Amino acid sequence: MPLTFARYLLVTFFARFALALAALGLVLTVFDTLAHIHAVLDGGAPIGLGLIAYASLRLPTLVVLLVPLAVLIGALLTLIALVASQELVVARAAGVSGTQITGILLIGAALVAGAHFLFANLVAVETAGRLATWQARGYAGLPPGARSEEQGLWLAADSAIVHIGLASADGQRLHDVVVIQRDPAGGLEAFFKAQKARFVDGRWRLDGVERLVAARDSGPAQETPIPAFRWDPSRFGNFGQGPEELSFGEAWSLRKDAGYSERTPRYYRFWTHRKLAQPVSCLVMALLPAHMAYQHARRRQLVLLGLATLAAGALYFGLERLLIPLGETAVLPPAFAAWAPAVMFAALAFWSLIMAES
């Protein structure tokens, strides 16, 4: 009986979770697309294809935000339905405790959390990068087929001044590179530009070099090595990307050394914690309505408890939104700003479970 009930409870939870996520995603995507319809159409994209492209690229980012809320709604509707239909009474009479019911919901939420983490780092990062690139182009034409390449960086390297037009997301490829080299006396030694630079076998090589000024060698060169420049590719990747365009691995690599990013390492430390705290919030959302497993079929009581649970979920997400800028700007320690809502509301959920048992 407990195993059969566990399967039934998980199927019911996943069905309601999927329904809630689909409804929330559809509504939010429609409103977000309508809010950007003028910008998309002004870019010259075909009306139908342009709006569909925007909605499809925006939807994964919205799904990442909505999954925890859908877990809360799915778990709440599941328990309310079981209580109202007396199925919960039968299950508990058969030996299924409230703690077991909570554990089953947590198993379902854990599976959702794992899928959420993978989706956020494999799918949503890619679509957010493509949307950001398309937006930077004024929504001209149709979206690019790959993640954004960040642009606009001046830096000093030994005796040279270098400008990088574009950098790939992994930092392994640089485009539109301009190098101004000076001799020890400060005079101009060379001034050239290259179509791209590639990191090969631990060294940077220039392709498509055009020497504009050179004191010693003015001839064309291809595959020109520049061994004096010891740039770590990780320093170039993501130096202008927003947090929704960063995967967990990319944020992790920048948490100690932000490279040429315009942001500080503390910013990336916060988002390293935040990208772990987001999936964990699915578990917290499954805990919030768990006290319903101890209720009886009193309609008024179920309605009040359901509204209180939804209010707690709304407060949770509001607190998350409040702490994000405080964590990004180092007003609060990154770990505290990222994990405080999950810890506080998990404690609240456990307290409500203890009260329900008593």
Side-chain angles (χ1 to χ4, degrees), residues 154-272:
W154 283 97
L155 58 104
D158 299 328
S159 60
I161 299 175
V162 182
H163 178 265
I164 298 168
L166 292 168
S168 63
D170 59 5
Q172 297 277 348
R173 301 178 309 281
L174 310 178
H175 300 267
D176 299 330
V177 180
V178 178
V179 180
I180 304 172
Q181 288 183 322
R182 295 187 177 274
D183 58 29
L188 181 64
E189 184 178 59
F191 177 23
F192 59 89
K193 64 180 180 180
Q195 294 178 0
K196 63 180 67 175
R198 297 177 295 119
F199 192 70
V200 180
D201 297 329
R203 301 173 70 183
W204 286 97
R205 303 185 70 87
L206 297 180
D207 296 337
V209 176
E210 178 185 357
R211 295 187 181 275
L212 305 177
V213 176
R216 301 172 184 171
D217 181 10
S218 59
Q222 298 290 333
E223 299 286 332
T224 304
I226 45 175
F229 299 159
R230 294 178 174 85
W231 300 327
D232 184 348
S234 64
R235 297 181 66 85
F236 295 103
N238 312 299
F239 62 77
Q241 291 180 316
E244 68 281 355
E245 302 168 58
L246 286 172
S247 67
F248 172 77
E250 291 165 346
W252 177 270
S253 66
L254 295 169
R255 76 191 192 285
K256 291 184 178 179
D257 184 0
Y260 297 114
S261 172
E262 60 191 21
R263 302 179 177 96
T264 65
R266 290 178 67 93
Y267 175 92
Y268 294 104
R269 284 201 293 272
F270 167 77
W271 277 102
T272 300

Side-chain angles (χ1 to χ4, degrees), residues 5 21 41 43 47-48 52 60 79 159 198-199 202 252 269 286 324:
F5 179 76
L21 183 60
L41 297 182
I47 296 178
I52 292 174
L79 292 174
S159 60
R198 297 177 295 119
F199 192 70
W252 177 270
R269 284 201 293 272
I324 285 176

Side-chain angles (χ1 to χ4, degrees), residues 311-327:
L315 186 60
Y316 178 92
F317 291 110
L319 183 60
E320 273 192 333
R321 295 293 101 188
L322 175 64
L323 293 181
I324 285 176
L326 299 180

Side-chain angles (χ1 to χ4, degrees), residues 109-125:
L111 294 175
V112 173
H116 178 276
F117 182 81
L118 293 176
F119 183 84
N121 287 277
L122 298 178
V123 178
V125 165

